[in-house]
Amino acid sequence: MLAATGASLPIAVGLLAASVPVAVLVLMLVTGGRRGAVAGFLFGWVAGIGAVGALTLAVIDTSLPRDDPAPWAGGLRIVLGATLLLLGVKQWRSRSRADAEPGRFMAAVDTMTASRAVLVAFLLVAVNPKNAVLVVSGAAAIGTATASVAHQVAALALFTVVASLGVAAPVLLRVALGERADPVLAAAKAWMTANSALVMTVVLVVIGTVLLGNGLSGLRSG
């Protein structure tokens, strides 16, 4: 389990750079969004990570051989690493449009119900290419590190918790400080919105490069 956790946690940290869910959740908190919607959004984000991760592990466990995993494991890392690098390049080239991405959800925040908040957050994981590939990469790191289902479940649970800290932090801050947290949350939202393209580009390129290098190394050793 330690190997699976060590391989996946750096990728989970990369998900902390996802600015859109944080921006939407902060706006919900600052504008007095319904508690049910806030809780639903947080639940949807966690459920999205868990579902995509569990599906990835199921595919690895049922479709790929375990007798000599080095060749396919290396090839999988290469594919995921190259995908993240391409997404990083795309993120940087479209950075002028990325700043406006949260705006698509802002208009509906005031009237967002709990069920809709769950769906929106879930889709931000499962449909957004950057977030989805990061989750798949983390789950793949777990699946290639251990064949034990119990260890996989435990490592995925820890991965989900760490990857959700960025979304949970505004909620915890609001609970702890009440309305005094609003200026801090607004400033954090403004900073993340202004710098999200750069931060996400760095995350995608760094993780993609590491995965690509590990994959090439695995192919050579296999």
Side-chain angles (χ1 to χ4, degrees), residues 12-217:
V13 172
L15 277 164
L16 299 180
S19 63
V20 175
V22 175
V24 173
L25 191 56
V26 167
L27 186 61
M28 293 171 67
L29 292 169
V30 172
T31 58
R34 304 171 186 173
R35 291 184 179 179
V38 172
F41 191 91
L42 183 57
F43 174 79
W45 179 261
V46 172
I49 295 175
V52 174
L55 179 61
T56 302
L57 287 173
V59 171
I60 290 175
D61 288 342
T62 58
S63 304
L64 298 173
R66 285 290 181 182
D67 53 344
D68 186 13
W72 66 259
L76 181 60
R77 293 189 186 102
I78 290 174
V79 171
L80 291 172
T83 302
L84 288 173
L85 287 174
L86 290 175
L87 288 172
V89 172
K90 181 181 178 181
Q91 174 77 35
W92 181 248
R93 294 182 64 180
S94 61
R95 60 190 180 279
S96 60
R97 297 191 301 272
D99 294 338
E101 189 176 6
R104 294 181 297 169
F105 304 97
M106 298 310 184
V109 164
D110 290 337
T111 59
M112 189 174 292
T113 63
S115 58
R116 182 172 176 80
V118 172
L119 178 62
V120 169
F122 187 92
L123 293 178
L124 281 174
V125 178
V127 176
N128 183 289
K130 298 183 291 291
N131 297 333
V133 175
L134 283 172
V135 176
V136 170
S137 299
I142 294 171
T144 56
T146 178
S148 168
V149 175
H151 290 172
Q152 289 178 354
V153 170
L156 180 60
L158 183 57
F159 176 90
T160 302
V161 169
V162 174
S164 301
L165 289 178
V167 177
V171 179
L172 297 176
L173 187 63
R174 183 61 185 268
V175 170
L177 300 180
E179 293 184 357
R180 292 176 297 169
D182 288 354
V184 178
L185 293 174
K189 171 183 170 294
W191 187 91
M192 291 194 69
T193 301
N195 297 279
S196 61
L198 174 61
V199 173
M200 184 55 78
T201 298
V202 171
V203 167
L204 292 172
V205 170
V206 170
I207 295 178
T209 301
V210 171
L211 286 176
L212 189 60
N214 290 342
L216 292 173
S217 177

